[in-house]
Amino acid sequence: MTVFFYDLLYCFSVSILSVSLLWDYTGAKEHAIAGGIIAIILPVFFTAVKNAGRRFRLLILGIPSVIAVSVIFLIGLKEGVEYLSSNLWILWIVFISIGAYVLAGLIRSYIPVRRIAAVIIIAGAILLTYYNEPIKKVSVAVAMLLLLIFMVEMIQRKWTKSGDTEMKRHVTCISPFLLVFALLVLASPARKEAYDWKFAIELYYKAVAGFDRISFSLFKKADDSFINAGFSENGSLVSSFKNNDMQIFTVNPGIYAGRVVYLGGMSMDHFDGRGWSEKKVPDSNMIMLDTLETRCAVWRADSEYMTDHIRYSSVFITYTGYYTHYFFAPLKTLLNREKLGGLPYYTEGTGILSDKKLGHGDSYTIYYFRLNKDSEIFRELVKNAEAIDRDTWETVRYNYFKNGSSGLEYEDYLAYRDEVYKTYLSNVKLSPELSEKLDEVIKGADSDIEKMRRIEAWLKQFKYSSSPGKIPKSVDTPEEFLDHLLLNTQNGYCAYYATAMAMLARSQGLPARFVQGYRVSFKNEGTVAVTKNMAHAWCEIYFDNVGWIPFEATPGYSMGKPWEAANRNERETAAEYGKQKIAEVAVEEKEPVAEKNDVDPRLIMYPLIGLAVFIILYIVIGRLIYSIRTARMDNESRAMLLCRRNLRSLGLMGYKRDRAETLEEYGMRLPVEIDRGFLTCMEMILYSEQEINDEMLATVERSAKEILKQLNKKNIIYRLFVW
Amino acid sequence: VTDVNRRLILWGILWILSLVCISFWGGPVSYGFFAAMTLIPVISWLYLFMVFLMFRIYQKFGSPVMVTREPIPFYFTLVNEFPMIFAGVRVRFFSSFSTISGLNSETEYELRPHSSIKMETQIVCHYRGEYEIGIKRVELEDYLRLFRLSYKNRDTLRVAVKPHIIYLDSLKTVNVSDLLRDSFDHKNTPDILTREYMAGDDVRMINWAQTARSDVPMVREQTGEERQGVSIYLDTYRPEEDEQDYLPAENTMLEILLALSWFMVSKGISIKEFHIDRDKRIYPVSDTAHFDDYYEFISAVSFAKEYSPDRAVGVLDTDVSILSSNAVFIITRQLSDPIMKMINTYTHNDTEVLIYLVCETADEAEAALNGVARVTLIPVEVDAEIGEVL
C-alpha cells in the first residue's frame, strides 16, 4: 500500500497539473465536472493497475473493459465513434493523463528528471507571473505540492538517522500534511491585482493619528495637522510647498457627485496683499442660508426642471491620517440634521466644526446640491435671477425644515445678504495698467457671470508653479499683489490665482472669498484616497439672488464638465414612453417530445451480458493462471499456496486468523466441521526442514477441496475471490 | 550557523521574496507562492505538535539497586502511536551524574507509524544521592528540518544511588598495627606491673623478661580502661545549594567513610561512626557480619545546610566512648571552628586525629593545623581515586 500511495501521490499531482495547465486547450471548458472526474479517476486507475496483484489487476482492467464494451454495444460502434469525435476533449484528457502517468514515473524514478521538473515548474511560474498569463489556482497548488515533495525527498536523502528511513514510506506517511498544505494553498485567496497592503497603510495611519492625538493632548496646538495637511488657518501665501502624498481621508462619492468634488474647509474674507484672514462669525447659518438661496433661485426660475441646474448628491468621508476640528464639505451643503455621522457640529463663518477632535476612523456623509455651473442653462439662470420673495423662501425652507428652524427666516436671509456685501466686498482699486488689461478681457460681456467666466479663463492662461518664489517685500496691498502676479511674474499656484480671481471679482463689485480645501477627482467609481497633495484653494463669488458660485482660476485645473440638461424634446419623448411598444420576445417553440414509457431492453441486457462474460472470463483466466503457476511448482510451494488459499477462504467464511495467534491455537479455534489437516503441513513448511511428500500434499489438497465446498455453501460470490 | 538555522534563513528569504511578489504582481502564482511560503512553517509546526502529543518514551533499569560506579542495564523504548511517521527524534540523556555507554546522543531516529525502537545499553551513576538519570530531553524535527521542538522528558526517572564500597588492603595514611598494639591505656607506663601466671591467663600476656628473672611465669597485669577501636566523624554540613557542587563532594566523603570503615572492621578494629542529621547518629560496628546493615545506614545518610558540626561537639560531652577511641577519623569539607574545637578536645585526651579534608586546596587547613600535635591532615580532591589516596 505504501508504494501504491507513493506512486499515486506523484501520478495524481503530475496528472492534475498537466490537465489543469492544458485544460483550456482540451475543449473541456463546458464539461468541467465530467472532465474533472476523469482527470481524477485516471491517475488512480493507472496507479492501481500498476500496483495491484494479479487478481485485482484483472478485476481493475476487466470491469472498465466490460463497461466499455457494454456501452459500445448499447449505443453502437459508429455512434460511439461519432460521440467521441464530437467530444474530443475526453480523448485529450485521457491522452494527457497517460502522458502525465509516464512523466510521473520518470520523475519518481530518476533524480535528474525530478530536478529538471523542479526547474521547469519554477521557471514556468516566474514566466507566467511576469507575463501575467492566466493560470488556474489548482495548477499552482499542485505545482507547490510537487515542489514540496521534491524537497522532502531531498532532505530525507541527506538526513543521517537511524530506524526505518525507507523513502517511499517516509513520503507516504507524511503525505496527509503535504495534501493539507496543497488544499490550503488552493483555498487561499488569489487576487488578480497586486496586494495593496491596505491593512499596513491603515495601521500606519492609525499610528500617525495616534501620534497626532497624543501630541495634541500634550502640546495643545490647535489643528497642527490641519496646517500640515496642505493649508493653514492664517492663509499666508508661501513661496513654495512640498509634495506630500500622505493619505488623510477617503471620499466615497454618491450618485450625481460628478467627476470632481471641491471640499471646502474654510473660507477667508480679508486679503492684505500677502495673506488672507477671516472674520469669524459664530453660528451664522451662512452655509445653510446660501444653500437655501440657490435652491430658491432655481425653484423660482425653473421649478419643473430643477435638476438641469442643481443635483442632489452626497459624499461619504472617512478620516484616516487626519486630526482636526474641521468637517470638509462641498458648497451648497444641506445642514438640516443635528449631527454629521453621529458627531455634533457647529458652524463658524463658512466652516463646519466639531467640538470633538476628529481623527482616524471618524466618518460622515454630507448632502449637498451640485451646481451645473458651466452649463448654458445655469448661466442663464444667474444672469436672469430675480429677487427672492418671502413666499418662495418659505416654501423652499419648508421642504427642508418642516418643523421650523431658527436663524433661517426670510429676515435672516435679508440680513445675511447685507452681511455678505459688508464682509466680502472690499474696495479694490486696480492699477491703470491692470485695469486696462482687465477691460480688454471683459469687453463685451453682458453679465456679471460672463465677466467672471472671462476672468477665470484669462487667469488660466498663466503659468502654474509650486514654487513661484517669495513675494517682494514691496508688495503690501491687494492691488500691488495683483500687479506683481498678473503683470510681472504671471506665475503661481492655486492660492495665488484664487486670490487674484477674488480680488478681480471684488474690483467688479462682486463679493468674493478665498476658500481652502481639497479638490478630489474620481477617475473610477468607488472610494478615493485623499492625500495632502490634493489640498487646493479656489475662489467663490457671490451673485445676487443666486448665492455663492465657485470659480477655478488655477491653470491646468477644471471644475469638471457640466451635465447635459434635459431639453424639452426629451421630456416630450419621456411622456410618450408609455406608448412605446414593448419588443416582443419570441417564445421558442419546443418540439413535442414523444413520451416513452417503454424501457429499452438493451439498457439492461447488454450490461448483464457484459457482466456474465466478464465473470466467466475472470474465472477461466484465473483458473488458467492458477494452473500454469501450480504446474511448475514443487510439493512444498504448491502445498504452501494451497495452505494460504485455505486461510483466505476461512477468513472469508468468518474464521480469520489473528495476527498474534499460532497455527495450533487457530486450529483449536476452528469448528469441527472444518478440515484442519492442512495446518500440520503448514507448520511443517514454516518451522521444520522436513520435505513435503506426496501424502502430505494430498492432505492439503483434500483440506482445500473441503474448505472450498464449504465456502461455496456459505456464499458462492466468495468463490470469485479464491482461485 | 546550524543546518536548521540555514534552512530557516533560506525560508525567510523565500518568504520575503513572496511578499515582494504579491506586492508587484497579482494572480494565482504570486499569491500561491506567498501562501505556500506562509503555510510551510504552519504545517510543519502542526506536524511537530502532533508528534509531541503522540510520542512516548518508556525507560527502565535492569536492577532495582543503583550503586555508584557499577554499570547496570538500561532499556528505553521510543514509541510512535501516531498513524504518521516521526521524521526526526533525538533523545538527550542526563550526563552530569551518570553516563550512558554505547549510545551516541547525536543519533536521530525515524519511527514509522505504530512502531517502536527498543534500545538496550548500560548506565553508570557517578555519585551517591537522589537524582534524575536516563533520558532528559527530547528533540523533535519536522520533515523539512525547519524547526526543532525540544522539550523536557515528561517521565524522567529519579533514583536513589548508593555509594560504592572500596575494599582496601592497606591504608597509606594509618599504621594499623599501631591501632592494634595501642589498644590499651598506659602504653608509656614502665612494664613492671606483673603477677604470677594463673590458669586461664592469655599466654600472649606473659612477660618473658620477668619470667626469666623470677623463674615463675609472670603475666602482665591489665590496668585502666580498654580503648574502644576508632571513631569516624562524618561532617554532614552542606555548604552549597547546587546539586552539581555538593553531590560529587558528598559522594567522595561517603566513599572515604565506607572504605575506612570496611578496612577497620575487616582488620578486627571496631568502629564507631557518628554524624549529625535531624538527630545525633552514632553507629558502632565491630565485625563484618553487621557491615551490610551499616552500609544501608550510611547509604541513607543525608546532608543539609542545617546540619552544622556545632551539634557534633556536644556529642563528645555526652558520649565518652568516642573520646576513648584509639583514633578519630574526621571526614569533612572544611575546617570550620566547631571542627577545630572538636580536634582540640580529642588531642587533649591523647587521641590521634586523622582529618580527611575533601576539597580542591588544603593550604588554609594546613596552615591552621600547623604545630598541632597528634593531628594528621589528609587532603582528598573531589574527583580523586579513593583507593589511591587512602
Side-chain angles (χ1 to χ4, degrees), chain A residues 140-158:
Chain A
V140 177
V142 176
M144 292 294 168
L145 173 67
L146 267 176
L147 289 176
L148 194 65
I149 295 170
F150 296 165
M151 220 184 307
V152 167
E153 288 209 3
M154 190 181 73
I155 287 167
Q156 175 73 357
R157 198 165 288 113
K158 291 182 178 174

Side-chain angles (χ1 to χ4, degrees), chain A residues 36 53 83 149 167 221 231 257 285 315 431 451 455 503 561 572 612 639 651 655 677 694 698:
Chain A
Y83 179 80
I149 295 170
M167 178 67 78
K221 286 180 183 172
F231 46 64
N285 276 338
V315 282
S431 65
K451 283 180 189 173
I455 293 171
M503 289 300 107
K561 288 179 182 174
E572 285 162 17
Y655 308 116
D694 291 343

Side-chain angles (χ1 to χ4, degrees), chain A residues 640-671:
Chain A
M640 197 61 198
L641 188 77
L642 287 170
C643 288
R644 287 203 175 118
R645 196 184 77 179
N646 288 348
L647 287 178
R648 203 162 53 241
S649 304
L650 289 170
L652 288 170
M653 287 161 71
Y655 308 116
K656 200 173 180 186
R657 184 186 163 202
D658 289 339
R659 278 192 173 194
E661 204 170 31
T662 63
L663 285 171
E664 193 181 348
E665 287 166 342
Y666 178 59
M668 287 168 71
R669 188 160 63 82
L670 289 174

